[in-house]
Amino acid sequence: MRMVDIIQKKRNGEELTEAEIRFLISEYTEGRIPDYQVSAWAMAVYFKGMNAKEIAVLTDAIVKSGDQIDLSPIHGIKVDKHSTGGVGDTTTLVLGPLVATAGVPVAKMSGRGLGHTGGTIDKLESIPGFHVELTREEFINTVNRCKLSVVGQSGNLTPADKKLYALRDVTATVDTIPLIASSVMSKKIAAGADAIVLDVKYGSGAFMKTPEEAERLARTMVSIGEEVGRKTIAIISSMEQPLGFAVGNALEVKEAIDTLQGKGPEDLTELSLVLGAHMVHLGGKASSYEEARSKLEEIIRTGQALDVFKQFITAQGASPEAIDRPDEHLPKASRIEPIRASASGYVEQIAAEQIGVAAMKVGAGRETKESAIDMAVGIVIHKKIGDRVEAGDVIAQIHCNNEENLEEAAAMVQNAYQIRQNKPVQPKLIEKVIVTSKP
Ligand code: URA
Ligand code: CA
């Protein structure tokens, strides 16, 4: 088999055979096919696409390029959640304790953030003492005992995806559905999920700019799930503005605690309830979505999930007081800089990506893999889409610890806001729920 023939076939819009796809992935992982040939192939995929069968084989080949985690010693159905890139997306922090309290085990392998999107591990590490370095045995025991554990990625999971993603990043071939879908699903499958709930975002801050494109990506991922026997559900949600109010590590932990007490932002609460209810339903702890949802509403009303949150962070080195009294125990910024509305009117849009980049500029995120992050800093949104503002009102606050980049970040936050005379229509937070690959 020759790579040049595979490239030519795809360039001409033909279907690749299973053997060709497996050859490409295994030989590339082993370093026997050069980057330039795989770049040409990725570009051919960008223009010609792949069918459902090809995408399922590609996903399976990526899964088999490395280790697969065996979560079978954990009791129950393991349901994992994935969001396709959010800014200030605090849902994982809310969902872990919420869904675990409803009885679904959450065994989460997570990553650190890079660029303008934050990583769940970074956020949790803003809790003093919290660590993610658990042995496999400790991880499994913690999930069986507390129903919830979050660890860093260990082992050699989906090495083909690591190489391919890095290559796509520099060859303008990231934003193509077959390659995004196989990349995301291969990681969830390799990490041992029995069932998968996906939050596919669309909008200015997301890979997919329209709900229609997001739906195509969602159906493709659901179809992979069908092919490989892992029940998959996707919701299509809007990223026309950052989710919730807080963007930044400790700020988001505080926001998650508030949300689990029923005092959180409306959009974050709603999205967490919808995603969580699908997880609880797939996890077999409710007989319908509606039953799962009322169970979760009750958990929020009574604040029960905070107990699980405390047990979980205690098992991973932190003190439960961080959850009881976050204002005393979580790191706080030394300076809070208000950003004021430049005109009167209604907030029409808040460019989520710009808010994310501004948060990174003041130290909440990593510009490069080596950058250190400041757990205390970030941005708190005060006005959201549809809110009335008068010129000079505080629309957001920057929490920071020094002046470095502050001016630049302040300008970015200000420019992220579009204020108009007319009251805009509220964007729908959740556009659709996709449960099968058939349109
Ligand atoms: N996230 C991923 O993990 N992979 C992609 O291809 C795009 C987003
Ligand atoms: Ca948030």
Side-chain angles (χ1 to χ4, degrees):
M1 217 174 271
R2 295 192 316 158
M3 187 58 192
V4 64
D5 299 325
I6 296 176
I7 299 168
Q8 181 170 321
K9 225 173 145 183
K10 187 43 74 187
R11 185 204 68 191
N12 294 345
E14 290 169 46
E15 176 181 344
L16 299 180
T17 65
E18 171 160 1
E20 286 164 339
I21 294 169
R22 292 196 187 277
F23 168 83
L24 188 167
I25 292 300
S26 67
E27 294 298 290
Y28 181 51
T29 311
E30 297 297 325
R32 289 192 289 264
I33 299 176
D35 281 347
Y36 52 81
Q37 285 191 306
V38 177
S39 320
W41 168 81
M43 192 58 84
V45 169
Y46 181 93
F47 285 110
K48 298 293 179 177
M50 293 179 100
N51 66 26
K53 184 163 150 255
E54 288 177 292
I55 296 171
V57 171
L58 176 62
T59 307
D60 188 61
I62 297 173
V63 169
K64 290 182 176 145
S65 71
D67 301 337
Q68 285 178 257
I69 307 289
D70 175 16
L71 295 180
S72 59
I74 295 171
H75 318 306
I77 301 171
K78 276 70 71 183
V79 188
D80 203 354
K81 189 242 22 167
H82 181 82
S83 296
T84 64
V87 172
D89 184 347
T90 318
T91 48
T92 303
L93 294 180
V94 177
L95 283 168
L98 184 61
V99 165
T101 304
V104 177
V106 178
K108 185 108 190 135
M109 287 197 135
S110 200
R112 292 178 195 282
L114 184 61
H116 68 275
T117 50
T120 298
I121 288 186
D122 297 322
K123 296 174 193 179
L124 286 167
E125 281 178 347
S126 74
I127 304 171
F130 184 91
H131 70 89
V132 291
E133 288 80 28
L134 305 190
T135 64
R136 179 185 148 75
E137 203 167 34
E138 288 168 331
F139 177 50
I140 285 170
N141 289 341
T142 305
V143 181
N144 278 335
R145 199 156 40 85
C146 312
K147 288 277 181 231
L148 170 60
S149 183
V150 179
V151 293
Q153 260 135 25
S154 63
N156 182 29
L157 256 57
T158 60
D161 177 65
K162 288 193 185 80
K163 278 188 85 170
L164 202 49
Y165 200 8
L167 185 68
R168 288 164 56 210
D169 202 26
V170 292
T171 56
T173 49
V174 169
D175 51 343
T176 175
I177 287 176
L179 301 185
I180 297 175
S182 53
S183 166
V184 168
M185 290 296 283
S186 64
K187 283 180 281 221
K188 296 286 117 181
I189 294 165
D194 299 317
I196 300 157
V197 174
L198 300 163
D199 176 14
V200 182
K201 313 268 194 199
Y202 73 89
S204 63
F207 285 117
M208 300 288 128
K209 303 299 170 201
T210 66
E212 292 75 25
E213 277 180 70
E215 181 173 340
R216 281 210 296 134
L217 174 60
R219 288 208 195 276
T220 304
M221 292 195 281
V222 170
S223 127
I224 295 171
E226 287 169 353
E227 292 284 334
V228 301
R230 318 267 174 139
K231 183 74 189 150
T232 304
I233 284 181
I235 70 158
I236 312 288
S237 73
S238 150
M239 266 297 291
E240 301 288 355
Q241 60 183 343
L243 191 65
F245 302 125
V247 181
N249 299 285
L251 293 167
E252 290 187 52
V253 170
K254 172 73 167 67
E255 182 170 67
I257 295 168
D258 289 343
T259 304
L260 290 168
Q261 290 174 311
K263 299 183 296 193
E266 215 177 293
D267 56 352
L268 175 61
T269 303
E270 176 61 18
L271 189 60
S272 301
L273 282 169
V274 172
L275 289 168
H278 285 294
M279 292 173 78
V280 169
H281 183 211
L282 286 183
K285 297 295 173 186
S287 58
S288 66
Y289 167 80
E290 289 72 24
E291 184 191 325
R293 181 166 172 135
S294 22
K295 213 167 170 173
L296 296 183
E297 284 172 353
E298 179 65 16
I299 289 170
I300 286 184
R301 202 160 31 240
T302 53
Q304 288 171 67
L306 293 181
D307 292 334
V308 172
F309 206 159
K310 284 190 261 187
Q311 286 162 20
F312 147 62
I313 66 161
T314 307
Q316 297 193 215
S319 151
E321 303 198 334
I323 305 297
D324 288 326
R325 290 192 299 281
D327 289 331
E328 289 166 40
H329 294 273
L330 294 179
K332 276 220 264 294
S334 57
R335 173 166 176 181
I336 297 177
E337 183 75 13
I339 307 297
R340 296 178 188 280
S342 52
S344 300
Y346 293 92
V347 177
E348 186 179 74
Q349 212 199 25
I350 310 171
E353 188 172 350
Q354 273 194 60
I355 299 286
V357 174
M360 180 186 77
K361 289 280 175 199
V362 295
R366 295 185 181 81
E367 211 140 357
T368 70
K369 266 188 229 162
E370 288 72 34
S371 327
I373 57 181
D374 184 335
M375 292 299 182
V377 303
I379 291 164
V380 177
I381 302 286
H382 285 244
K383 300 290 180 186
K384 302 254 299 187
I385 293 179
D387 286 347
R388 171 83 204 169
V389 297
E390 304 305 329
D393 281 356
V394 175
I395 49 177
Q397 290 176 329
I398 298 183
H399 291 232
C400 60
N401 276 326
N402 59 53
E403 313 255 310
E404 208 186 324
N405 299 334
L406 178 56
E407 218 171 291
E408 190 188 354
M412 289 181 97
V413 173
Q414 186 120 58
N415 293 333
Y417 272 84
Q418 282 189 24
I419 296 171
R420 294 278 183 273
Q421 288 319 302
N422 298 329
K423 196 172 162 77
V425 271
Q426 278 293 341
K428 244 201 278 179
L429 175 62
I430 294 162
E431 189 69 32
K432 248 186 186 174
V433 180
I434 306 291
V435 297
T436 85
S437 59
K438 314 280 176 300

